[in-house]
Amino acid sequence: MKQDKIRLTVNGSSHDLSIGVNLGEIAPSETLVHTLRETLGLTGAKESCDHGACGCCTVIMDGQAVPSCMVLTVECHGKEITTIEGLQDPETEALDPLQQSFIDNMAFQCGYCTPGIIMTSKALLEKNPRPDEEEIKEALAGNFCRCISQYQVIEAVKQAAKNGR
Ligand code: FES
Ligand code: FES
């Protein structure tokens, strides 16, 4: 049966989207990163390689870190998605402790890759709250940074894990 509507939950909010090729509709070929950025106004996930190779567009979908440039929006019906915007406390607007740890450790320079790295790290810590350095490196193997701040990234994730975050 042809599906012309999908519902997805992003950062706790439900969105009904129409599938089609008209203005305001989601094309069947549209990727999730595009929908997040252009339709939902969530520009935290960055679009860079558009081929699943850099990790800049990473979001958490049903508990897994996924490159949102490699997922078609039409495939996301019923999915729970968290973007970097969803980590902030909605009431106090306080940053997630993992985000704060990146700041405390100066774990970014230009910051373009940072939302993807944080979302991958967040998914890791949800599954494995006390990862060792090798596990952190393995989890982040698909996230690339052009500013050579990887050492601080590992320290930031380690510190967040140490603090039970
Ligand atoms: S933009 Fe998605 S992995 Fe590079
Ligand atoms: S901080 Fe610049 S690309 Fe990573």
Side-chain angles (χ1 to χ4, degrees):
M1 190 179 78
K2 184 174 174 296
Q3 189 174 8
D4 59 5
K5 281 202 185 304
I6 58 166
R7 173 171 292 181
L8 53 154
T9 303
V10 183
N11 301 335
S13 298
S14 185
H15 298 274
D16 291 312
L17 302 172
S18 298
I19 307 301
V21 294
N22 298 314
L23 196 63
E25 294 180 328
I26 304 297
S29 60
E30 183 168 317
T31 57
L32 178 60
V33 66
H34 193 271
T35 303
L36 290 172
R37 292 178 59 83
E38 304 301 328
T39 302
L40 303 183
L42 297 168
T43 55
K46 301 290 184 274
E47 205 168 5
S48 183
C49 70
D50 211 22
H51 282 86
C54 73
C56 289
C57 63
T58 302
V59 299
I60 299 176
M61 182 185 292
D62 291 347
Q64 301 287 337
V66 296
S68 57
C69 70
M70 297 300 284
V71 178
L72 294 177
T73 305
V74 292
E75 298 174 327
C76 296
H77 180 64
K79 302 286 189 190
E80 297 263 352
I81 296 156
T82 305
T83 70
I84 189 81
E85 290 90 343
L87 296 191
Q88 191 177 25
D89 186 302
E91 286 179 12
T92 66
E93 297 190 348
L95 293 177
D96 184 276
L98 179 59
Q99 292 173 297
Q100 189 60 52
S101 188
F102 272 64
I103 294 171
D104 295 344
N105 286 278
M106 293 183 279
F108 52 88
Q109 290 180 35
C110 78
Y112 196 83
C113 66
T114 308
I117 289 178
I118 289 179
M119 296 315 286
T120 300
S121 303
K122 184 76 181 170
L124 169 67
L125 295 180
E126 293 288 333
K127 284 188 213 147
N128 177 4
R130 291 277 190 275
D132 62 28
E133 190 163 319
E134 282 310 307
E135 289 169 326
I136 296 169
K137 286 180 181 172
E138 190 178 329
L140 290 170
N143 289 83
F144 288 87
C145 172
R146 293 188 181 94
C147 299
I148 320 174
S149 56
Q150 285 95 333
Y151 296 116
Q152 292 97 312
V153 164
I154 290 164
E155 285 309 308
V157 178
K158 274 163 74 175
Q159 189 182 86
K162 190 173 157 199
N163 294 339
R165 292 157 172 178

